[in-house]
Amino acid sequence: MEGHRTVSVGASLSVTDQRRATRHPVDYPVIAEHHDHGDMDLHVANISAHGFMINKAPELGRGDRVIIRFPVIGRIEAYVIWISGERAGFQFERIIRLEDFVAVVEALQPNPRLRRDR
């Protein structure tokens, strides 16, 4: 039984590890689909392999889900995991393959000087 608790604790820490994932600054205005609010104008300020942050969170609450479209990966669902002031952090509902994520960052950061070393 001890082993199961250890695995469970490790799983709950993975969210913290995901928050520490490398974030890439972007400037990406996008229209997201929200079940209750319809289409919403969002501005993605940074992106990681696990999610993204917007810098203006209109009418969003923790747990809200949106569908957003990114270059390369297309439509993907994400949900709000935190809100602080006008900023909000989202977690993707599925894992993005590394090569696809690299291509997304390159598409969203046309200036190579903005890209972080990988």
Side-chain angles (χ1 to χ4, degrees), residues 47-88:
I47 188 169
S48 76
H50 303 286
F52 60 93
M53 184 191 82
I54 61 171
N55 57 9
K56 292 185 180 154
E59 304 176 356
L60 289 172
R62 198 164 173 213
D64 279 2
R65 292 181 178 270
V66 298
I67 297 173
I68 190 168
R69 182 179 299 277
F70 283 106
V72 181
I73 59 174
R75 291 168 45 101
I76 188 167
E77 188 171 359
Y79 61 95
V80 178
I81 57 172
W82 61 265
I83 295 179
S84 177
E86 289 197 355
R87 298 181 311 152

Coordinates of all heavy atoms in Angstrom, one line a residue, residues 47-88:
I47 N 3.6 30.1 -24.3 CA 3.2 28.8 -24.5 C 4.3 27.8 -24.1 O 5.5 28.1 -24.1 CB 2.9 28.6 -26.0 CG1 2.2 27.2 -26.3 CG2 4.1 28.8 -26.9 CD1 1.6 27.0 -27.7
S48 N 3.8 26.7 -23.5 CA 4.8 25.6 -23.2 C 4.2 24.3 -23.8 O 3.1 24.3 -24.4 CB 4.9 25.4 -21.7 OG 3.7 24.8 -21.1
A49 N 4.9 23.2 -23.6 CA 4.4 21.9 -24.2 C 3.1 21.5 -23.5 O 2.4 20.6 -24.0 CB 5.5 20.9 -24.1
H50 N 2.8 22.0 -22.3 CA 1.7 21.6 -21.5 C 0.5 22.5 -21.5 O -0.6 22.2 -21.1 CB 2.1 21.3 -20.1 CG 3.2 20.3 -20.0 ND1 3.0 19.0 -20.2 CD2 4.5 20.5 -19.7 CE1 4.2 18.4 -20.1 NE2 5.1 19.3 -19.8
G51 N 0.8 23.8 -22.0 CA -0.3 24.8 -22.0 C 0.1 26.1 -22.4 O 1.2 26.3 -23.0
F52 N -0.7 27.1 -22.0 CA -0.4 28.5 -22.4 C -1.0 29.5 -21.4 O -1.8 29.1 -20.6 CB -0.9 28.8 -23.8 CG -2.4 28.6 -24.0 CD1 -3.3 29.7 -23.8 CD2 -3.0 27.4 -24.3 CE1 -4.6 29.6 -23.9 CE2 -4.3 27.2 -24.4 CZ -5.2 28.3 -24.2
M53 N -0.5 30.7 -21.5 CA -1.0 31.8 -20.7 C -1.6 32.9 -21.5 O -1.0 33.2 -22.6 CB 0.1 32.3 -19.8 CG -0.4 33.4 -18.8 SD 0.9 34.3 -18.0 CE 1.3 35.5 -19.2
I54 N -2.7 33.5 -21.1 CA -3.2 34.6 -21.8 C -3.1 35.8 -20.8 O -3.0 35.6 -19.6 CB -4.7 34.5 -22.2 CG1 -5.6 34.2 -21.0 CG2 -4.8 33.3 -23.2 CD1 -7.1 34.2 -21.3
N55 N -3.0 37.0 -21.4 CA -2.8 38.2 -20.5 C -4.1 39.0 -20.3 O -4.0 40.0 -19.6 CB -1.6 39.0 -21.0 CG -1.8 39.5 -22.4 OD1 -2.8 39.4 -23.0 ND2 -0.7 40.1 -22.9
K56 N -5.2 38.6 -20.8 CA -6.5 39.2 -20.5 C -7.5 38.1 -20.5 O -7.7 37.4 -21.5 CB -6.8 40.2 -21.6 CG -5.9 41.4 -21.5 CD -6.4 42.5 -22.5 CE -5.4 43.6 -22.4 NZ -5.3 44.5 -23.5
A57 N -8.1 37.9 -19.3 CA -9.0 36.7 -19.1 C -10.4 37.2 -19.0 O -11.0 37.3 -17.9 CB -8.6 35.9 -17.9
P58 N -11.1 37.4 -20.1 CA -12.5 37.9 -20.0 C -13.5 36.8 -19.6 O -13.5 35.7 -20.2 CB -12.8 38.4 -21.4 CG -11.9 37.5 -22.3 CD -10.7 37.2 -21.5
E59 N -14.2 37.0 -18.6 CA -15.3 36.1 -18.1 C -14.9 34.7 -18.0 O -15.7 33.8 -18.2 CB -16.5 36.2 -19.2 CG -17.0 37.6 -19.4 CD -18.1 37.6 -20.5 OE1 -18.3 36.6 -21.1 OE2 -18.7 38.7 -20.7
L60 N -13.7 34.4 -17.6 CA -13.2 33.0 -17.4 C -13.1 32.7 -16.0 O -12.8 33.5 -15.2 CB -11.9 32.8 -18.1 CG -11.9 32.8 -19.6 CD1 -10.5 32.8 -20.2 CD2 -12.7 31.6 -20.2
G61 N -13.4 31.4 -15.6 CA -13.2 30.9 -14.3 C -12.4 29.7 -14.3 O -12.3 29.0 -15.3
R62 N -11.9 29.3 -13.2 CA -11.1 28.1 -13.0 C -11.9 26.9 -13.5 O -13.0 26.8 -13.1 CB -10.6 28.0 -11.6 CG -9.4 27.1 -11.5 CD -8.7 27.3 -10.2 NE -7.8 26.2 -10.1 CZ -7.4 25.6 -9.0 NH1 -7.9 25.9 -7.9 NH2 -6.5 24.6 -9.1
G63 N -11.3 26.1 -14.3 CA -12.0 24.9 -14.8 C -12.7 25.1 -16.1 O -13.1 24.1 -16.8
D64 N -12.9 26.4 -16.5 CA -13.5 26.6 -17.8 C -12.7 26.0 -19.0 O -11.5 25.9 -18.9 CB -13.6 28.1 -18.1 CG -14.8 28.8 -17.4 OD1 -15.5 28.1 -16.7 OD2 -15.0 30.0 -17.6
R65 N -13.4 25.5 -20.0 CA -12.7 24.9 -21.1 C -13.0 25.7 -22.4 O -14.0 26.3 -22.5 CB -13.3 23.5 -21.3 CG -12.9 22.5 -20.2 CD -13.5 21.2 -20.5 NE -13.1 20.3 -19.4 CZ -12.0 19.6 -19.4 NH1 -11.1 19.6 -20.4 NH2 -11.7 18.8 -18.4
V66 N -11.9 25.8 -23.2 CA -12.0 26.5 -24.5 C -11.4 25.6 -25.5 O -10.6 24.7 -25.2 CB -11.3 27.9 -24.4 CG1 -11.9 28.8 -23.4 CG2 -9.8 27.7 -24.2
I67 N -11.8 25.9 -26.8 CA -11.2 25.2 -27.9 C -10.4 26.3 -28.6 O -11.0 27.4 -28.9 CB -12.2 24.5 -28.8 CG1 -12.9 23.4 -28.0 CG2 -11.5 24.0 -30.1 CD1 -14.0 22.7 -28.8
I68 N -9.2 26.1 -28.9 CA -8.3 27.1 -29.5 C -7.6 26.5 -30.7 O -7.4 25.3 -30.7 CB -7.3 27.7 -28.4 CG1 -6.6 28.9 -29.0 CG2 -6.4 26.7 -27.9 CD1 -5.8 29.7 -27.9
R69 N -7.2 27.3 -31.7 CA -6.5 26.8 -32.8 C -5.1 27.4 -32.9 O -4.9 28.6 -32.8 CB -7.2 27.2 -34.1 CG -6.6 26.6 -35.4 CD -7.4 27.0 -36.6 NE -8.7 26.4 -36.6 CZ -9.0 25.2 -37.0 NH1 -8.1 24.4 -37.4 NH2 -10.3 24.8 -37.0
F70 N -4.1 26.5 -32.9 CA -2.7 26.9 -33.1 C -2.2 26.4 -34.4 O -2.7 25.4 -34.9 CB -1.9 26.2 -31.9 CG -2.0 26.9 -30.6 CD1 -2.7 26.3 -29.6 CD2 -1.4 28.1 -30.4 CE1 -2.8 26.9 -28.4 CE2 -1.5 28.8 -29.1 CZ -2.2 28.2 -28.1
P71 N -1.2 27.1 -34.9 CA -0.6 26.5 -36.2 C 0.0 25.1 -35.9 O 0.3 24.8 -34.8 CB 0.6 27.5 -36.4 CG 0.3 28.7 -35.6 CD -0.6 28.3 -34.5
V72 N 0.0 24.3 -36.9 CA 0.6 23.0 -36.9 C -0.3 22.0 -36.2 O -0.8 21.0 -36.8 CB 2.0 22.9 -36.3 CG1 2.5 21.5 -36.3 CG2 3.0 23.9 -37.0
I73 N -0.7 22.2 -34.9 CA -1.5 21.2 -34.2 C -3.0 21.4 -34.4 O -3.8 20.5 -34.1 CB -1.2 21.3 -32.6 CG1 -1.4 22.6 -32.0 CG2 0.2 20.8 -32.4 CD1 -1.3 22.7 -30.5
G74 N -3.4 22.6 -34.9 CA -4.8 22.8 -35.2 C -5.6 23.0 -33.9 O -5.2 23.6 -32.9
R75 N -6.9 22.5 -33.9 CA -7.8 22.7 -32.8 C -7.4 21.9 -31.6 O -7.1 20.7 -31.8 CB -9.2 22.4 -33.2 CG -9.8 23.4 -34.2 CD -11.1 22.9 -34.8 NE -12.1 22.3 -33.8 CZ -13.1 23.0 -33.3 NH1 -13.4 24.2 -33.7 NH2 -13.9 22.4 -32.4
I76 N -7.4 22.5 -30.4 CA -7.1 21.7 -29.2 C -7.9 22.3 -28.1 O -8.1 23.5 -28.0 CB -5.6 21.7 -28.9 CG1 -5.2 20.8 -27.8 CG2 -5.0 23.1 -28.7 CD1 -3.7 20.5 -27.6
E77 N -8.4 21.4 -27.2 CA -9.1 21.9 -26.0 C -8.1 22.1 -24.9 O -7.1 21.4 -24.8 CB -10.1 20.8 -25.6 CG -11.0 21.3 -24.5 CD -12.2 20.4 -24.3 OE1 -12.3 19.3 -24.9 OE2 -13.0 20.7 -23.4
A78 N -8.4 23.2 -24.1 CA -7.6 23.5 -22.9 C -8.5 24.0 -21.8 O -9.6 24.5 -22.1 CB -6.6 24.6 -23.3
Y79 N -8.1 23.8 -20.6 CA -8.9 24.3 -19.5 C -8.1 25.2 -18.6 O -6.9 25.1 -18.4 CB -9.5 23.2 -18.8 CG -8.6 22.2 -18.1 CD1 -8.2 22.3 -16.8 CD2 -8.1 21.1 -18.9 CE1 -7.4 21.4 -16.2 CE2 -7.3 20.2 -18.3 CZ -6.9 20.3 -17.0 OH -6.0 19.4 -16.4
V80 N -8.8 26.1 -17.9 CA -8.2 27.1 -17.1 C -7.7 26.4 -15.8 O -8.5 25.8 -15.1 CB -9.1 28.3 -16.7 CG1 -8.5 29.2 -15.7 CG2 -9.6 29.0 -17.9
I81 N -6.4 26.5 -15.4 CA -6.0 25.9 -14.2 C -5.6 27.0 -13.2 O -5.6 26.7 -12.0 CB -4.8 25.0 -14.4 CG1 -3.6 25.7 -15.1 CG2 -5.2 23.8 -15.2 CD1 -2.3 24.8 -15.2
W82 N -5.4 28.3 -13.6 CA -5.2 29.3 -12.6 C -5.6 30.7 -13.2 O -5.6 30.8 -14.5 CB -3.8 29.4 -12.1 CG -2.7 29.6 -13.1 CD1 -2.0 28.7 -13.8 CD2 -2.3 30.9 -13.6 NE1 -1.1 29.2 -14.6 CE2 -1.3 30.6 -14.6 CE3 -2.6 32.2 -13.4 CZ2 -0.6 31.6 -15.3 CZ3 -2.0 33.2 -14.1 CH2 -1.0 32.9 -15.0
I83 N -6.0 31.6 -12.4 CA -6.3 33.0 -12.8 C -5.6 33.9 -11.8 O -5.7 33.7 -10.5 CB -7.8 33.3 -12.8 CG1 -8.4 32.4 -13.9 CG2 -8.1 34.8 -13.1 CD1 -9.9 32.6 -14.0
S84 N -4.9 34.9 -12.2 CA -4.3 35.9 -11.4 C -4.5 37.3 -12.0 O -3.9 37.6 -13.0 CB -2.8 35.6 -11.2 OG -2.2 36.6 -10.4
G85 N -5.4 38.1 -11.4 CA -5.7 39.4 -12.1 C -6.3 39.1 -13.4 O -7.3 38.4 -13.5
E86 N -5.7 39.7 -14.5 CA -6.3 39.5 -15.8 C -5.6 38.4 -16.6 O -5.9 38.1 -17.7 CB -6.1 40.8 -16.6 CG -7.1 41.9 -16.2 CD -7.2 43.0 -17.2 OE1 -6.5 43.0 -18.2 OE2 -8.1 43.9 -17.0
R87 N -4.6 37.8 -15.9 CA -3.9 36.7 -16.6 C -4.6 35.3 -16.2 O -5.2 35.2 -15.1 CB -2.4 36.6 -16.1 CG -1.7 37.9 -16.5 CD -0.2 37.8 -16.1 NE -0.1 37.4 -14.8 CZ 1.0 36.8 -14.3 NH1 2.0 36.5 -15.1 NH2 1.0 36.5 -13.0
A88 N -4.4 34.4 -17.1 CA -5.0 33.0 -16.8 C -4.1 32.0 -17.5 O -3.5 32.2 -18.6 CB -6.4 32.9 -17.4

